[in-house]
Amino acid sequence: QVEVAESGGGLVQAGGSLRLSCAPSRRASYAVGWFRQGPGKERTFVAALSWSGLKTNYADSVKGRATISRDNVKNTIDLEMNSLRLEDTAVYFCALRETGRQPSSHQIDYDVWGQGTQVTVSS
């Protein structure tokens, strides 16, 4: 059973940047999604990368501020976010699709989830 672990969260000032990493326990190609859950809110889609790494999908709330990419050397799927806002404060989760290759925005399409990493944006 493959597992994933997120890293890179922390405290960031508004307007700043951060880079989150998702590390699968097995080196293989997966479609990967990033989701987030803000305080008192439901978990929502942020960004996704296809199995091939050629297709991306972004939530409107982060479009233009986020970039999802695969680092084949480190075997990670990274989410870089710029121009951070207070409303970006959330626990960020990485998820893999064991079947399916498209960068889906639907949580039900993802089979393996990490524990999450906290991102706090301060004013």
Side-chain angles (χ1 to χ4, degrees), residues 24-96:
S25 60
R26 187 184 304 159
R27 182 174 286 273
S29 293
Y30 299 98
V32 176
W34 280 96
F35 296 80
R36 67 185 179 186
Q37 187 167 17
K41 298 180 181 179
E42 294 185 351
R43 189 164 59 187
T44 58
F45 170 71
V46 178
L49 185 68
S50 66
W51 171 85
S52 65
L54 298 178
K55 295 181 183 179
T56 58
N57 187 7
Y58 295 97
D60 288 342
S61 59
V62 303
K63 203 168 288 184
R65 300 190 297 123
T67 302
I68 187 171
S69 61
R70 175 175 285 124
D71 187 321
N72 290 319
V73 174
K74 296 190 296 181
N75 189 37
T76 59
I77 298 86
D78 299 335
L79 178 68
E80 184 170 359
M81 291 187 64
N82 304 307
S83 302
L84 286 164
R85 305 167 181 169
L86 297 179
E87 55 264 38
D88 293 320
T89 294
V91 178
Y92 283 71
F93 298 90
C94 171
L96 306 183

Side-chain angles (χ1 to χ4, degrees), residues 100-116:
R101 299 185 174 187
Q102 298 306 312
S104 173
S105 62
H106 302 293
Q107 297 184 51
I108 197 171
D109 289 333
Y110 292 85
D111 308 294
V112 180
W113 290 80
Q115 295 296 310

